Amino acid sequence: MIGEFIDGPLWYFSLTAFVIGVVWRIVSIVRAGVRPDLSIARGSAGRGAMRTIFSRFVPERTVTTRSRLQLIAGYMFHVGLLILLFFAQPHIDFIAERITGLSWPAVPHWVFIVAAEFAFAGLILLWLHRVLNPVTRLLSDMDDHIGSILVFLVMLTGCLALAQSHEALRLIHLFLAEVFLIYFPFSKLMHAFTFVMSRGYTGATMGRKGVNA
Amino acid sequence: MSEQFEQGVAVLRDQIDARISSYLTSCVHCGICAEACLFYTETNDPRYTPIHKVEPLKKLWQAENTFWGKLGKSLGLIKPLTESDFADWEQLVYDSCTLCGRCSMVCPVGNDITYMIRKIREGFSVAGYAPDGMKEATKRALTIGSPMGVTFKTVQAALAHVEKDTGLKIPIDRQNAEYMTLFSSMEIVNFPEYIESIAKIFDAAGVSWTISSQAFEATNSGIQIGNKEAAAELVGRVVKAAEGLGIKYVVSPECGHAYTAIRWEGPNLIGRPYDFEVVHILELLDKLKAEGRIKLEGKDDTPMTLHDPCQIVRRGGVVDPPRNLLHSVADHFTEMTDHGVMNWCCGGGGGVSANERAEELRLKSFDRKKHQLEELGVNTMVTACANCRIILEEGLEHHEMDTEVISLTELLAEHLVSGKTPN
């Protein structure tokens, strides 16, 4: 009964909430508007925006030493998570069946295991850094912790459900993923989309000035 | 809650545009910006983390623009912004930020944190939460015409000395001149050699130029304190004078924030584009050199390095001209490890130098520049900002360092081949 609810209505509700919520948040930001810049541009805002959207994937040398742990853990977590999310066979099957009807090749099992280990290690290190480092401890709020814990639980149950031999584990994983989807638009998890906007706005401003940001 | 505070909050609310909304939505509190801020790196005090300085703005945005904020506010779980928030953050916003923009270069989600701090100052200054030194400087700029109280009579006295020393006539209020040159009060009072250098170089290059008796001051305290009306008034004076004289180009002097004010923020402050263009003195000198209108002779074999003024280079985009020019007169020009758009600030920009309360912290933050110089082992530092120059000299003296600070324009004038070049 509960399983059917998680597998059916709750899934569609959470997906709808996620899509509408994300679109709503993005539209709200764009609607806040940016005042036109009347100064004469030295360079191209468009090229500046594109440049910064991609260049910030690589950290500046000035922070690579003292922020080494965070940077490495950040890459481990994000790359690992993307592989788990989009290249694990059960996810590809699920997406094909429930959303797009399209499928693509999955990564081999050993890649999945390595990606999972990277993602877990990265997330745990990032969270430990968050609670132990004086700077991040000062900055962090409830949203940061809820986001981290939710992602951790979704990944943990996902790995436990991997064998797909226990329906209960699969349902728990799906339920947590649904909670995650519903929480997503109301949280800092939105950075997964809005980082393009924040990088773009800064890159455009700096690009007009002729600065590679 | 006072009326003035409410006005400040209203101004702060008005700053929240799409840029700021995207920044606050994207920030994941990673704290990496701390490592780019000299106030943090030299003190290890987490309060100086750049993104922490925008907390009042974030609090307002959260309460009024997010689901949880609105819910919490309606349930009474979230407290609105109070005067104590402004009082608690005033020193973080003004004393421990030079608006140098270094944090904005390292944020993984691309947040322009400096832009947000600059915008927070708008609300704080309206609410009355700004350092006395900056308030006084802004008042002097509006009433006397200069943050240091310099009048045109003082300028005339300085120009008389320049004319006597150079034998050149300094043009005042010349109609339809191609260039109108601005100066910072600090140049007029502390570094008149800069004016002398400009006069010699422009004479050699056959530049048609003038100084306006109505608008000689380049600095803009309104930008630093965050008072939009004051900033617009100060820019407006320059625009009125330049357009009245039929000027083609206004030359921003060796002053960092003056360039940001007149070049990038000015048109937006007065709400229209200018009838003239703005050029930084280093851009102009580089252009004159490239066109062969100024010729330089001899190269200095003293080892030299360049201190990049943040507002001219990182926030202004004048990155290559100072390097081109310095290479043309210095045989041993060596860059510091972090240079160009990733330079470290002198510690006194963004109005910090006008804020007496911040002096101890400013001198502490100078440890970063001290470290850079010691690492490089060079005892001559060239720069192109009068404010940087004063701050650097103070820091060097404080640390009893034997390093000379010189102006790039003055250095070029020393190597100038005298005699006019055909225009």
Side-chain angles (χ1 to χ4, degrees):
Chain A
M1 177 69 181
I2 186 92
E4 284 173 13
F5 177 69
I6 291 170
D7 237 348
L10 189 58
W11 161 250
Y12 290 107
F13 173 76
S14 60
L15 185 65
T16 307
F18 172 78
V19 172
I20 292 174
V22 167
V23 171
W24 176 72
R25 286 293 302 273
I26 290 172
V27 170
S28 304
I29 291 170
V30 174
R31 280 188 62 197
V34 177
R35 291 175 182 91
D37 194 336
L38 303 172
S39 62
I40 299 171
R42 181 185 282 125
S44 160
R47 275 200 294 275
M50 287 308 289
R51 181 189 167 87
T52 304
I53 287 170
F54 291 101
S55 69
R56 292 293 168 101
F57 283 118
V58 181
E60 276 289 342
R61 192 199 57 80
T62 194
V63 297
T64 49
T65 310
R66 299 222 321 184
S67 300
R68 193 187 297 133
L69 172 76
Q70 262 180 301
L71 293 168
I72 294 171
Y75 278 119
M76 287 169 68
F77 166 65
H78 284 97
V79 173
L81 182 67
L82 283 173
I83 292 173
L84 295 182
L85 191 57
F86 294 111
F87 295 99
Q89 190 66 58
H91 287 164
I92 295 170
D93 294 342
F94 187 87
I95 291 167
E97 186 189 325
R98 301 285 188 98
I99 308 173
T100 62
L102 300 170
S103 66
W104 51 88
V107 292
H109 186 70
W110 68 268
V111 175
F112 178 91
I113 297 297
V114 172
E117 284 171 354
F118 268 62
F120 273 114
L123 181 58
I124 291 165
L125 282 172
L126 285 175
W127 188 76
L128 285 174
H129 186 272
R130 186 175 289 291
V131 293
L132 295 175
N133 181 279
V135 168
T136 41
R137 196 167 56 230
L138 175 73
L139 297 176
S140 298
D141 55 24
M142 189 72 84
D143 185 16
D144 296 310
H145 297 296
I146 293 173
S148 301
I149 291 165
L150 257 181
V151 174
F152 178 81
L153 291 175
V154 172
M155 288 194 332
L156 182 69
T157 53
C159 287
L160 291 174
L162 187 63
Q164 298 210 38
S165 52
H166 300 284
E167 178 64 5
L169 283 175
R170 189 190 69 83
L171 284 173
I172 291 171
H173 174 57
L174 182 58
F175 174 72
L176 285 167
E178 288 163 352
V179 172
F180 173 85
L181 286 175
I182 294 166
Y183 183 70
F184 190 104
F186 303 103
S187 71
K188 286 289 176 62
L189 296 167
M190 275 297 295
H191 79 276
F193 292 100
T194 57
F195 84 92
V196 178
M197 302 171 79
S198 46
R199 286 184 186 179
Y201 281 127
T202 297
T205 310
M206 300 305 275
R208 288 188 90 256
K209 294 180 177 180
V211 174
N212 293 333
Chain B
M1 194 182 288
S2 74
E3 193 181 330
Q4 195 181 3
F5 172 69
E6 282 183 22
Q7 286 171 352
V9 173
V11 169
L12 199 57
R13 184 179 293 115
D14 193 42
Q15 308 306 315
I16 301 173
D17 58 3
R19 276 179 78 181
I20 289 179
S21 296
S22 73
Y23 293 161
L24 295 173
T25 307
S26 295
C27 177
V28 290
H29 296 151
C30 70
I32 284 177
C33 52
E35 301 299 343
C37 177
L38 78 177
F39 292 104
Y40 172 74
T41 58
E42 304 317 300
T43 63
N44 276 322
D45 186 338
R47 290 180 309 130
Y48 297 141
T49 303
I51 197 69
H52 181 62
K53 296 169 194 169
V54 310
E55 199 64 21
L57 180 68
K58 190 181 103 181
K59 196 171 174 181
L60 184 67
W61 170 80
Q62 267 183 333
E64 299 185 358
N65 295 272
T66 68
F67 172 79
W68 297 115
K70 286 176 188 171
L71 183 69
K73 200 176 157 190
S74 64
L75 296 174
L77 298 172
I78 288 181
K79 289 178 188 166
L81 267 181
T82 61
E83 296 225 26
S84 68
D85 287 320
F86 276 33
D88 291 347
W89 255 262
E90 185 193 314
Q91 291 198 17
L92 293 178
V93 168
Y94 285 102
D95 300 22
S96 69
C97 178
T98 60
L99 303 178
C100 84
R102 208 164 184 276
C103 53
S104 303
M105 300 295 282
V106 305
C107 174
V109 293
N111 286 354
D112 189 350
I113 303 164
T114 309
Y115 171 77
M116 290 196 274
I117 297 174
R118 161 79 181 81
K119 291 296 176 184
I120 287 175
R121 288 187 180 188
E122 299 264 348
F124 273 48
S125 72
V126 168
Y129 288 90
D132 290 338
M134 290 174 76
K135 284 182 190 167
E136 291 301 319
T138 309
K139 196 173 163 187
R140 282 192 295 273
L142 290 171
T143 54
I144 303 171
S146 145
M148 290 170 70
V150 172
T151 63
F152 188 64
K153 279 191 176 168
T154 321
V155 178
Q156 281 176 307
L159 295 180
H161 282 292
V162 172
E163 289 184 340
K164 191 179 166 194
D165 291 346
T166 61
L168 298 169
K169 179 77 185 157
I170 309 293
I172 305 290
D173 294 332
R174 180 188 285 173
Q175 199 70 30
N176 297 322
E178 194 173 4
Y179 294 93
M180 184 179 104
T181 307
L182 304 175
F183 299 102
S184 72
S185 292
M186 218 174 267
E187 284 160 345
I188 295 160
V189 176
N190 298 56
F191 307 115
E193 304 85 359
Y194 170 76
I195 307 175
E196 194 172 314
S197 303
I198 292 286
K200 284 180 186 169
I201 294 170
F202 283 1
D203 178 65
V207 168
S208 155
W209 71 295
T210 192
I211 295 171
S212 166
S213 60
Q214 302 303 307
F216 59 87
E217 178 63 60
T219 62
N220 192 316
S221 309
I223 294 276
Q224 294 178 323
I225 199 168
N227 184 322
K228 197 177 172 182
E229 283 72 31
E233 164 64 23
L234 297 173
V235 168
R237 289 176 189 174
V238 174
V239 174
K240 189 179 170 192
E243 292 182 346
L245 289 171
I247 299 296
K248 283 186 187 165
Y249 300 94
V250 165
V251 184
S252 185
E254 281 198 350
C255 173
H257 88 271
Y259 182 61
T260 283
I262 193 75
R263 173 68 174 89
W264 298 112
E265 294 210 26
N268 301 313
L269 287 165
I270 65 166
R272 67 171 176 87
Y274 306 143
D275 288 347
F276 55 87
E277 287 184 36
V278 176
V279 62
H280 188 264
I281 184 64
L282 296 183
E283 287 180 293
L284 176 57
L285 295 177
D286 195 33
K287 179 173 168 268
L288 293 174
K289 184 177 154 290
E291 290 172 352
R293 290 174 68 183
I294 53 172
K295 293 197 166 29
L296 304 166
E297 64 183 354
K299 283 204 171 186
D300 216 312
D301 58 6
T302 311
M304 293 181 187
T305 189
L306 177 68
H307 166 78
D308 290 284
C310 308
Q311 299 300 323
I312 295 171
V313 180
R314 177 164 46 244
R315 305 293 282 182
V318 184
V319 185
D320 295 329
R323 292 172 164 75
N324 297 340
L325 293 166
L326 190 50
H327 272 299
S328 66
V329 292
D331 250 342
H332 301 286
F333 162 37
T334 320
E335 295 273 22
M336 289 182 245
T337 311
D338 290 313
H339 62 268
V341 296
M342 287 312 297
N343 76 308
W344 287 95
C345 180
C346 64
V352 172
S353 61
N355 179 0
E356 289 166 17
R357 187 180 66 194
E359 188 178 338
E360 191 182 339
L361 181 61
R362 170 168 64 77
L363 288 168
K364 176 67 186 151
S365 73
F366 189 80
D367 285 354
R368 175 55 54 171
K369 192 57 66 182
K370 176 174 178 273
H371 172 75
Q372 280 193 291
L373 289 169
E374 285 170 349
E375 185 185 57
L376 201 64
V378 171
N379 292 322
T380 302
M381 184 160 44
V382 181
T383 192
C385 169
N387 189 56
C388 288
R389 203 168 157 187
I390 285 277
I391 295 300
L392 293 168
E393 284 176 351
E394 277 184 30
L396 292 165
E397 195 179 311
H398 178 75
H399 288 91
E400 297 178 346
M401 291 174 73
D402 186 23
T403 303
E404 190 187 7
V405 185
I406 53 178
S407 143
L408 180 50
T409 306
E410 289 170 33
L411 180 66
L412 293 169
E414 285 172 19
H415 289 267
L416 189 69
V417 178
S418 54
K420 279 187 184 176
T421 310
N423 200 343

